[in-house]
Amino acid sequence: MSQKSEKLIDKKGLRLDGRKPDQLRPIKIEVAILANADGSAYIQQGKNKILAAVYGPKEAHPKHLSLPDRTRLRCRYHMAPFSVQERKSPAPSRRERELSKVIRESLEPSIFLEYYPRTSIDIFIEVLQADGGTRCASITAASLALADAGIPMRDLVAACAAGKIDDTIVLDLMDTEDKKGGADVPVALMSNLNAITLLQMDGTLSLKEFEKAVNLALKGCMKIYALQKEALKAKYMNVKEAAKE
Amino acid sequence: MSQKSEKLIDKKGLRLDGRKPDQLRPIKIEVAILANADGSAYIQQGKNKILAAVYGPKEAHPKHLSLPDRTRLRCRYHMAPFSVQERKSPAPSRRERELSKVIRESLEPSIFLEYYPRTSIDIFIEVLQADGGTRCASITAASLALADAGIPMRDLVAACAAGKIDDTIVLDLMDTEDKKGGADVPVALMSNLNAITLLQMDGTLSLKEFEKAVNLALKGCMKIYALQKEALKAKYMNVKEAAKE
Amino acid sequence: MSQKSEKLIDKKGLRLDGRKPDQLRPIKIEVAILANADGSAYIQQGKNKILAAVYGPKEAHPKHLSLPDRTRLRCRYHMAPFSVQERKSPAPSRRERELSKVIRESLEPSIFLEYYPRTSIDIFIEVLQADGGTRCASITAASLALADAGIPMRDLVAACAAGKIDDTIVLDLMDTEDKKGGADVPVALMSNLNAITLLQMDGTLSLKEFEKAVNLALKGCMKIYALQKEALKAKYMNVKEAAKE
Amino acid sequence: MSSIVVRVKKKQIEQLIAKGKRLDGRGLTDYREIQIEQGVVERAEGSARVLLGKTEVLAGIKIEVGTPYSDTPNEGVLTVNAELVPLASPTFEPGPPSENAIELARVVDRGIRESKAIDLEKLCIKPGKKVFIVFVDVYVLNHDGNLIDASALAALAALLNTKMFNYELEEDDVKIKPGRKPLPIRKHPIAITCAKINGKLVVDPWLEEEQIMDARLTMTTDDDGNICAIQKGGSGWFTSKQVLETAKIAKEKAKELRKKLVKA
Amino acid sequence: MSSIVVRVKKKQIEQLIAKGKRLDGRGLTDYREIQIEQGVVERAEGSARVLLGKTEVLAGIKIEVGTPYSDTPNEGVLTVNAELVPLASPTFEPGPPSENAIELARVVDRGIRESKAIDLEKLCIKPGKKVFIVFVDVYVLNHDGNLIDASALAALAALLNTKMFNYELEEDDVKIKPGRKPLPIRKHPIAITCAKINGKLVVDPWLEEEQIMDARLTMTTDDDGNICAIQKGGSGWFTSKQVLETAKIAKEKAKELRKKLVKA
Amino acid sequence: MSSIVVRVKKKQIEQLIAKGKRLDGRGLTDYREIQIEQGVVERAEGSARVLLGKTEVLAGIKIEVGTPYSDTPNEGVLTVNAELVPLASPTFEPGPPSENAIELARVVDRGIRESKAIDLEKLCIKPGKKVFIVFVDVYVLNHDGNLIDASALAALAALLNTKMFNYELEEDDVKIKPGRKPLPIRKHPIAITCAKINGKLVVDPWLEEEQIMDARLTMTTDDDGNICAIQKGGSGWFTSKQVLETAKIAKEKAKELRKKLVKA
């Protein structure tokens, strides 16, 4: 991250896309959109377009990797070659492999892993278009895909980043803000349990700024949590209506 | 394929190597030429020089890939680094992997796969020198290698391409004709069953031209089929003579 | 190896680092220096700095690679990226893979492999700094690591190279001598059994020179063997003292 | 699927087909419903999503500057890649492209290349040195059969949706200028696949049919009704009569699909 | 370890921690003993060995000439790689970097990069064409827990030990001149990790604690006490109170470690 | 092979060897019959097929223009690769080169390189910039033991068969001119392998002997009788007396083989 001279916040306090500092990008969430997956969800957050699918619980394969007392959660975060400015090779990059791990670890606390010993649950995330904050949007979608697959969960996990641009703490950074800004703090939350399941940071923040950023991110998570519940409700309404017909 | 101005057929209707449009290149086939393989064959077709070997049926490995009701046929088509103009890396290319698949699928219909459940049969093809039409010559040789290995078969599979050069439908294109010509249609045939087990095409042909090309290719297959049978007979004669001595 | 004009031996018959032709570089050996490994050793020979660790005998994995009548010895010789002048990619090179094989085969004769059927013993060698003769120093260290792990052995294996520089047969070539010299002959020896377990050569030597080089290398091995035994003794003294306290 | 389930299903499907019917209610030469949506990934130079029944494929186009092949110094480069990403089917595994993914990419590639759909000479910047590389990435999002036709269609729709940037050469460096223009597309190659089941040909096989079919035959035809690519797949065979029948079906069905695409 | 052994050990460790004690005798916020030795690999441009209790990490620095990234034409390139070599632990396998090795490298990288510890602009030779690449290779030699802190410390100590060669540009070729100078290091980012065990935070978890912890949280701070990198790991969670507590601990402990390093 | 079969065979072979005999009728220092055929792959710059009993190896040479190594700017590049293709033996697996294939390639490479068989300086086109790269690809077609000797012989025979193209430099571009000339070959390094079985040395071990041998020792000698490469293999050992005996055998046998090659 390098702070350049161009202004990311104008005189009115608005950001390049017209948002206020504490404002989320427009978010659209759909649940159960893939036919083959056991559970799936689609999220659009700003220009991010991300699909998440869940397969399982199913017999773990290879067997020697199965766990005797709980399910094995696996996660693959993957970007489509056309999702970013310069074409990305389809082979998983080091970044994608790290994100696969932190996303998995942000979802694990939400699942009753011990319900299905010796099985595995696979989470597949495909970023179709990336615009900053894809790991958070991926967690939001993947948690819904888990719910859609009927996996027993403690709570939904909602994720959102806060960060610093032009010395202001702002919510939900888009790509330009992330690249030119001063810091980015992605956070994932199980709202009912007040449990932070993802926390990363890059950039530079004082302790005070950091505290402010975390709190702002948590507020963002709670707003997204509400959207997640709406999306689930919408799905069940659809199912209900379909059942009536 | 790009049509260039150089003539591929001269005024007498002859091709660059002096062949008539419906003429095969000189073909030399030998069966049982590798000591270790369960079955093997060597084919020279024009400047193509190709070895095929068969190992099996044998216990499938790894076991979870074995099939309960039939043998698993595997096939690897591979080119020697020195077989082509520019040295080819020995790692299998995408082209080699596709050809491995289509060759396997052209041979599968000829084998009584259900005779040997839970086993595997491996076909290994090595192109030592390539001059156009290697997939067809590979099929011709591999089918003989299967026969040599004593695998029960419905019929031998013979393969040959037809194509278009200088607006003429011709048989058995060599490399230059393939590269500068207008279309190439490789075909594989079980002659007794009138069964086409391989059909591919690239280039551009009208429906009429295509029909003509397929029919010409099928005639080529039948001629090659005769050569295959001669090669098998020659092998048994040798065996017989060897037994007499 | 290319012989350049610069002198590797001066008028007094001394080498670039002041050694006599039949003199070893300063050697420092320590046994049992890694906490997690079942056995380990560290060697410094000139500027070479090499760690060897042994894990096992343990259940062989994957099982189908286990041997019914003896242990499976595995060996990985690996160089740290910063161990050589130009950074080395951490992926094993062809050279590292060959050396892993010849080092394993130089240690195998020393181990009673049949004592532990169906198990495996892993030897891991990490070259932290390389200065010529790393394969020999690796063998010396790895043999001690095996002893430290309590693996029953016929004898320790000590290794040392001899070679030719400026038409003189010399012992224990360092990197510059290896690169600019005329030949390098690495040898490994079980001294009690007079058994040569490693022998390689590159360069050019007459039969006479070769005989001289082998004999010099064997003398080097015997000196190193004495140092190995000292190092083992030092370790047991430490253990004893520790026990007294 | 266990082999017993497959055998039962096979029998059921075969009996229906003998009567000219199919499990999902279609006639033997009926295509599934097609939806084409272009421009779905704004960040790509071009993109399109195709729904073929429940089969869903996304294609995205990226254009970069690179070097031409030495034997075609005056032509841009076309590269087609297909990913069978594991969210699309329980049978797709993460990892490097499988045999099936490679075949899929190469069949789509051949259709575009052999029909000369893109005027590659117009993608040359500096002969022998700099050309545009067109990356076609086919992304299968849900697999319900007949991936070849859906992928070829998505790739073509994405190419038609593609806008290239303007540029000028400044001392061998390509400088991007404002404005965009479409890719030079000359032909519209359409792939049509028939499956052979119990001796009969059915068009556009869906997953359950693919699982029990003897073999499949794909023919790609261009705007003039010429064939430009063929691929036989599966471990069965065709008679030459079936081959010619497929060619006729392919030509006819391609016309229908091409119309939908031009509309799209 | 069998799951029963783990459960027994977990209980034992948790009971101790509830009383403010730890299995190895430390208090909850005590760091293990640290030894730092610089210059251990003379052939590398810089190197350092760190002992953190029984955890042992070696870092080596190599500097090469290469090309800059297109978006930072005036800056040298930093590359961090970590190898969990199999001699360090029975759980490390030979082969390409595991998920854990990649995470380790990337967390160390972020600490150095985000704190702007190296003045990368001073590593530019010819803008857009030639810059120095700084390779930081982290080599774990014995794994007894908290690899992140030990690796970040070893990397920084090695960078501080690094001597670059002098050079001059001759017609675009970099000619090495005699003499050496230190790397332009501006900051000293220090990573501090806390583990959460049974609701309590413990600093610098060793292996037995890592095996039973709920989660870990690493915070890297610079000389000014600013946070420059954070990584949560493990399948548990933290409350926001615990997060802020960790930040305070990290800031304080980093000061202690930074002093040791400057002494080293 | 099951270990019992191996043990029975081992006993049988050892008893024969104790009497100076071998399973295939040879004496202990007899080489198998050798057939060398050059020019078998016309498309390669050079090629040769070697039959050593039933062991069959094909070597092909390709020559390309590339860049020299930075430490030998005036020399062409030699690259030796060996493929143990799976049609040659039931024990060869498809996939990246195994340890055995790598060792084979490197031993063949060392013989050619260390004997300075090719005058690499004559393969320099423009110092530091452009040189010829000689690719030696060893292709094992049937494995019946002693692959090293057969491969080294095939490689040398192929190099002797190689015709380079003529060229001229036009503004740094290499233009191929009509006509061809042989590679500058100065030496004829020949590898000879002895196996140690039950304390005795046997020359040119075939497969059954290799399966039960204690160890093998390969010595490569040049036209002047100098040794230029050695490789010990297998998990047994040699006495220094056996080493010197092998050296003498190798020198003598190499003369015989070299004669056959020059005839070929």
Side-chain angles (χ1 to χ4, degrees), chain A:
Chain A
M1 300 212 173
S2 61
Q3 256 160 308
K4 301 275 170 68
S5 53
E6 310 141 57
K7 281 283 169 199
L8 295 170
I9 297 189
D10 67 13
K11 288 170 190 170
K12 293 182 191 163
L14 297 182
R15 295 149 76 178
L16 291 180
D17 57 355
R19 279 187 289 156
K20 292 177 204 157
D22 63 349
Q23 199 178 342
L24 289 168
R25 287 175 285 182
I27 292 175
K28 184 185 144 194
I29 300 177
E30 278 178 84
V31 177
I33 34 78
L34 291 174
N36 286 335
D38 294 322
S40 62
Y42 173 72
I43 188 166
Q44 233 174 276
Q45 185 162 359
K47 288 186 181 161
N48 288 316
K49 296 185 176 182
I50 299 168
L51 273 172
V54 166
Y55 284 91
K58 55 182 184 181
E59 209 185 332
H61 175 80
K63 267 186 190 165
H64 72 269
L65 289 181
S66 78
L67 304 168
D69 55 350
R70 62 186 191 279
T71 199
R72 180 174 209 88
L73 189 66
R74 297 190 299 185
C75 176
R76 188 177 99 129
Y77 164 95
H78 188 241
M79 302 184 93
F82 44 76
S83 64
V84 279
Q85 204 51 42
E86 273 190 55
R87 181 180 183 267
K88 201 209 134 285
S89 156
S93 66
R94 289 161 62 93
R95 179 184 166 276
E96 282 167 295
R97 292 195 58 200
E98 186 205 339
L99 291 202
S100 297
K101 180 179 190 287
V102 298
I103 292 172
R104 187 188 72 229
E105 290 176 343
S106 76
L107 293 167
E108 269 180 334
S110 74
I111 302 173
F112 292 101
L113 299 169
E114 61 280 13
Y115 280 25
Y116 303 105
R118 296 183 194 286
T119 65
S120 73
I121 296 175
D122 285 336
I123 302 172
F124 298 118
I125 294 161
E126 291 292 340
V127 177
L128 305 177
Q129 184 160 275
D131 189 34
T134 58
R135 85 192 64 186
C136 287
S138 295
I139 290 167
T140 300
S143 187
L144 283 169
L146 285 164
D148 182 37
I151 310 290
M153 288 159 74
R154 291 186 175 81
D155 195 2
L156 288 170
V157 183
C160 189
K164 185 169 77 164
I165 56 173
D166 291 356
D167 290 319
T168 306
I169 302 299
V170 299
L171 189 63
D172 189 18
L173 285 73
M174 59 182 183
D175 197 40
T176 330
E177 294 175 330
D178 188 12
K179 289 216 176 87
K180 299 189 176 165
D184 187 36
V185 186
V187 175
L189 180 73
M190 287 194 285
S191 299
N192 280 344
L193 292 156
N194 195 25
I196 295 175
T197 66
L198 170 83
L199 180 63
Q200 293 186 290
M201 196 198 105
D202 44 16
T204 308
L205 291 180
S206 69
L207 216 65
K208 268 201 179 157
E209 289 171 328
F210 171 65
E211 190 171 347
K212 204 174 159 190
V214 168
N215 287 332
L216 184 57
L218 290 175
K219 273 184 204 158
C221 291
M222 283 182 267
K223 284 181 197 166
I224 288 170
Y225 182 56
L227 298 176
Q228 284 178 312
K229 286 194 290 189
E230 268 175 43
L232 274 183
K233 205 184 285 173
K235 177 208 154 188
Y236 290 123
M237 300 300 277
N238 283 342
V239 172
K240 246 182 173 171
E241 278 172 37
K244 278 187 205 161
E245 282 167 21

Side-chain angles (χ1 to χ4, degrees), chain B:
Chain B
M1 298 208 172
S2 61
Q3 256 159 309
K4 302 275 171 67
S5 54
E6 311 142 55
K7 280 283 170 200
L8 295 170
I9 297 188
D10 68 13
K11 288 170 191 169
K12 293 181 189 164
L14 298 182
R15 295 149 75 177
L16 291 178
D17 57 354
R19 278 188 289 156
K20 292 178 203 157
D22 63 349
Q23 200 178 340
L24 288 168
R25 287 175 285 183
I27 293 175
K28 184 185 145 193
I29 299 178
E30 279 178 85
V31 177
I33 32 79
L34 291 174
N36 287 335
D38 294 323
S40 63
Y42 173 72
I43 188 166
Q44 234 174 273
Q45 185 161 0
K47 287 186 181 160
N48 288 317
K49 295 184 175 182
I50 298 169
L51 274 171
V54 167
Y55 285 91
K58 55 181 185 182
E59 210 185 331
H61 175 81
K63 266 184 191 167
H64 73 269
L65 289 180
S66 78
L67 303 168
D69 55 350
R70 63 186 190 280
T71 200
R72 180 173 208 89
L73 189 65
R74 297 189 298 185
C75 176
R76 189 177 100 130
Y77 164 95
H78 188 240
M79 302 183 92
F82 44 75
S83 64
V84 280
Q85 204 52 44
E86 273 189 56
R87 180 179 184 267
K88 203 210 133 286
S89 155
S93 66
R94 289 162 61 93
R95 178 183 167 275
E96 282 167 297
R97 292 195 59 201
E98 187 206 338
L99 291 201
S100 296
K101 180 179 190 289
V102 298
I103 292 172
R104 187 187 74 229
E105 291 176 342
S106 75
L107 294 167
E108 268 180 335
S110 73
I111 302 173
F112 292 100
L113 298 169
E114 61 280 14
Y115 280 25
Y116 304 105
R118 296 183 194 286
T119 65
S120 73
I121 297 175
D122 284 336
I123 302 172
F124 298 118
I125 294 162
E126 291 292 340
V127 177
L128 305 177
Q129 184 160 275
D131 188 35
T134 58
R135 85 192 65 185
C136 287
S138 295
I139 291 168
T140 300
S143 188
L144 284 169
L146 285 164
D148 181 36
I151 310 290
M153 288 159 74
R154 292 185 173 83
D155 195 3
L156 287 170
V157 183
C160 188
K164 186 169 76 164
I165 56 172
D166 291 357
D167 290 320
T168 307
I169 301 299
V170 300
L171 188 64
D172 188 18
L173 286 73
M174 59 181 185
D175 197 40
T176 330
E177 294 176 330
D178 189 11
K179 288 217 175 88
K180 298 188 178 166
D184 187 36
V185 186
V187 175
L189 179 73
M190 287 194 284
S191 298
N192 280 345
L193 293 156
N194 196 24
I196 295 175
T197 65
L198 170 83
L199 181 62
Q200 292 186 289
M201 197 198 105
D202 46 16
T204 309
L205 291 180
S206 71
L207 216 65
K208 268 201 178 157
E209 288 171 329
F210 170 65
E211 190 171 348
K212 207 175 157 189
V214 168
N215 287 331
L216 185 57
L218 289 174
K219 273 186 202 155
C221 291
M222 282 183 268
K223 284 181 196 165
I224 289 169
Y225 182 56
L227 299 175
Q228 284 178 311
K229 285 194 291 190
E230 270 176 40
L232 274 184
K233 205 184 282 173
K235 178 208 154 187
Y236 291 122
M237 299 299 278
N238 284 343
V239 173
K240 244 181 171 171
E241 279 172 35
K244 277 187 202 159
E245 282 167 22

